[in-house]
Amino acid sequence: DIDNSLRNSGLEFKSVPIKGQRILHALELFNQELKKSNYHYSPRTSIHVHFNVLDWTFEEVKKLLITYLVFEKLLYKFVGLGREKNIFCLPVLSSGTLENLVPNLNSSFIQKTWSKYYGFNLGSIFQFGTIEIRHLGGTDDVPRIVSWINLWFKMIEFIKRNSYKSLIETITSLNTSSNYYGFSNNVFG
């Protein structure tokens, strides 16, 4: 598709929903085909990953958001290249509404105030039934893309095996480096 956020007739490539080993195969196949053309990734280019949440409860969505917020700065460091300053993948914490964010999080709040340009886009729930992750800049480095996706799978696995109450208790007790290290180890292994 044509993508108006990209210059010089930039294009957006979309895939059908895929999972597991098929992700790796699709990325490798895409890169093989792309290398047959004259392409480059501009600083405006990014990789968007959508996670199907159609069968999730709203509590699970909140748990992923809360877990994400603990690690938001580190996730931006992982993707690097100043992505946290890119207007198409803004940090949620840059909104200045953290104190109101979680207590007021409901479908109306998301539909009315959530920016589709947050790196962690909840607005796509209502359009596609997914949570969209927009942080990673354009790259043909398949191992890097797979590592990025796997970080998110780890967070999803973590929230699926922990209750909302225990997550809140754990996060509110994070006050030392060792507590943060232990929490990150519980999430990411």
Side-chain angles (χ1 to χ4, degrees):
D1 273 341
I2 293 173
D3 186 333
N4 293 324
S5 71
L6 300 172
R7 294 190 174 124
N8 302 320
S9 303
L11 298 174
E12 176 180 17
F13 295 89
K14 300 174 185 177
S15 77
V16 296
I18 52 179
K19 62 183 179 178
Q21 283 297 111
R22 291 182 179 179
I23 296 170
L24 180 60
H25 177 70
L27 287 169
E28 289 171 347
L29 184 62
F30 174 74
N31 280 339
Q32 286 173 10
E33 292 301 313
L34 198 59
K35 287 178 180 171
K36 294 177 183 176
S37 67
N38 182 19
Y39 76 97
H40 76 280
Y41 292 103
S42 79
R44 300 171 72 98
T45 310
S46 62
I47 294 174
H48 299 189
V49 180
H50 288 258
F51 292 97
N52 181 352
V53 296
L54 286 173
D55 62 346
W56 285 28
T57 65
F58 197 72
E59 187 172 270
E60 289 172 316
V61 171
K62 283 176 74 169
K63 287 191 302 183
L64 185 59
L65 173 64
I66 292 165
T67 304
Y68 163 77
L69 290 174
V70 171
F71 297 108
E72 184 175 62
K73 287 184 181 186
L74 289 173
L75 292 166
Y76 275 101
K77 281 189 178 208
F78 179 89
V79 297
L81 300 172
R83 293 288 297 169
E84 75 279 359
K85 292 178 174 60
N86 185 300
I87 62 171
F88 299 109
C89 65
L90 297 167
V92 173
L93 291 173
S94 71
S95 68
T97 62
L98 181 59
E99 61 280 348
N100 295 322
L101 189 61
V102 175
N104 294 325
L105 193 66
N106 59 41
S107 59
S108 176
F109 178 84
I110 293 168
Q111 287 177 313
K112 289 179 184 172
T113 63
W114 201 269
S115 172
K116 80 175 201 171
Y117 295 117
Y118 283 147
F120 184 91
N121 178 17
L122 292 177
S124 64
I125 292 171
F126 301 100
Q127 187 175 5
F128 303 113
T130 65
I131 291 176
E132 178 187 29
I133 309 305
R134 305 169 58 93
H135 304 67
L136 188 61
T139 181
D140 56 6
D141 184 343
V142 171
R144 181 169 172 75
I145 298 167
V146 171
S147 292
W148 176 243
I149 293 169
N150 283 334
L151 286 173
W152 286 93
F153 280 136
K154 292 286 189 179
M155 283 193 284
I156 291 167
E157 289 170 357
F158 172 80
I159 65 110
K160 292 287 191 173
R161 67 178 187 264
N162 287 277
S163 71
Y164 183 82
K165 182 182 177 195
S166 70
L167 175 63
I168 297 300
E169 287 171 357
T170 300
I171 290 174
T172 55
S173 70
L174 294 175
N175 60 5
T176 66
S177 295
S178 61
N179 285 356
Y180 279 98
Y181 178 79
F183 182 63
S184 64
N185 196 39
N186 284 337
V187 174
F188 299 109

